[in-house]
Amino acid sequence: MLYAISAFFIWSLFPLYFKMLDHVSPLEVTVQRLIWAFTAMAIFFLYRRQWGWLRKIKDNPKMLLTFVCSAAILSLNWGVSVWATHNGHLVEASLGYFMTPLISVCFGCFLLKEQLRLWQKIAIVLALAGVAWITWRSGTLPWVGLTLGVSFGVYGLLRKTAPLGGLEGQAVEILLSMPFAVIVAAYMIKTQTSVFIQGGWDTRAMLIILGPVATLPLILFAEGARRIPLSLLGVLQYITPTMQLLTGVFILNEAFNQDRLVGFIMIWMALTVYSVDGLWEMRKKSLLSK
């Protein structure tokens, strides 16, 4: 539990770290995050001498294509999350991560032909009602939250179909994203728009540290996921959006009026129904297996 809680806690602090880099464009933050995460992971795997997973990718073109897609989705998710923090949409971003489990259930139903239980259907209807309420009262679709939620749901679906460990899969995705990151970084250097080159050493240090900082929670998450039940892991994952919501409201002073609160309450009710139903189903299966 300590491994998993530490991972979710570190992820919840990312917006504050990104806020300290608000003088750097979201695109450059994302690019530098990819470059230095790749560096950190390369050092990690060199130390562990684990390279067998590269042969699996080389010998399986279908798996490679899956990881090309997941790498693109992950880069989009990272970029939007940084943009949301820079532009005062952290509360809306937390909405997306609250909705991710329910979006994943929808993907499982429509794409993997999984059967939904009654209470799962009720949870999805409640979540849709919450999004519809926020859209109606604000006059705009909460596209930041929906983009983050849907992209992470698609990412989870792609990773579900790719038989590779969490860390190894993340390393492949970052490796596949490197051409894009290098091209963008080179263009910024050539046009003298790179804050990493033009800025001070404090900015460079923060962007370099972002690599291992982004890698550490992945390692902690992988270790925690191996040791605790999936149902418990699913409940613990709400630490991140909860803390991001509190950070957005109480530290970054983002708007959180009564209309938005009503929409969030509907989504929290949906998550409660979904979580209780999942725990009850696991308990029934456990009792039947005894």
Side-chain angles (χ1 to χ4, degrees), residues 38-262:
F38 171 78
T39 305
M41 282 203 159
I43 294 171
F44 174 79
F45 283 111
L46 280 170
Y47 174 74
R48 297 285 294 270
R49 297 181 181 179
Q50 295 177 346
W51 302 107
W53 48 273
L54 283 174
R55 286 192 293 272
K56 294 181 181 179
I57 295 294
K58 181 181 177 183
D59 299 335
N60 192 333
K62 185 177 179 181
M63 187 191 300
L64 179 61
L65 179 61
T66 299
F67 275 107
V68 168
C69 295
S70 67
I73 292 292
L74 184 64
S75 298
L76 171 67
N77 187 276
W78 282 6
V80 172
S81 65
V82 177
W83 183 92
T85 304
H86 281 197
N87 291 275
H89 292 281
L90 183 57
V91 169
E92 190 177 334
S94 72
L95 172 70
Y97 291 118
F98 275 123
M99 291 178 59
T100 296
L102 300 173
I103 291 172
S104 298
V105 169
C106 290
F107 284 149
C109 174
F110 293 110
L111 300 179
L112 302 180
K113 306 302 180 183
E114 296 176 355
Q115 294 295 318
L116 292 183
R117 297 185 295 273
L118 173 62
W119 289 106
Q120 287 179 319
K121 294 177 182 178
I122 293 173
I124 291 171
V125 170
L126 280 171
L128 289 173
V131 173
W133 172 265
I134 292 172
T135 302
W136 176 51
R137 298 302 295 176
S138 65
T140 58
L141 193 70
W143 69 268
V144 171
L146 290 174
T147 300
L148 290 173
V150 171
S151 63
F152 209 76
V154 172
Y155 176 75
L157 180 66
L158 290 170
R159 290 302 303 272
K160 183 181 177 68
T161 60
L164 203 62
L167 285 178
E168 291 84 357
Q170 183 82 74
V172 171
E173 289 162 351
I174 292 175
L175 177 63
L176 291 171
S177 301
M178 284 305 295
F180 158 77
V182 170
I183 289 170
V184 174
Y187 176 79
M188 287 182 170
I189 292 171
K190 183 179 179 180
T191 56
Q192 298 185 349
T193 57
S194 173
V195 178
F196 182 81
I197 299 299
Q198 305 293 329
W201 280 105
D202 54 343
T203 298
R204 292 193 192 102
M206 288 190 69
L207 289 170
I208 291 171
I209 291 170
L210 189 56
V213 165
T215 306
L216 176 61
L218 293 170
I219 297 172
L220 292 170
F221 177 80
E223 293 298 320
R226 289 173 49 223
R227 292 172 167 82
I228 63 176
L230 190 62
S231 57
L232 178 58
L233 192 67
V235 173
L236 292 177
Q237 76 174 353
Y238 297 128
I239 291 173
T240 299
T242 299
M243 290 192 64
Q244 287 184 349
L245 172 63
L246 295 174
T247 299
V249 175
F250 295 107
I251 298 180
L252 303 182
N253 298 315
E254 292 187 12
F256 193 68
N257 55 29
Q258 186 175 355
D259 289 334
R260 183 171 278 189
L261 175 61
V262 171

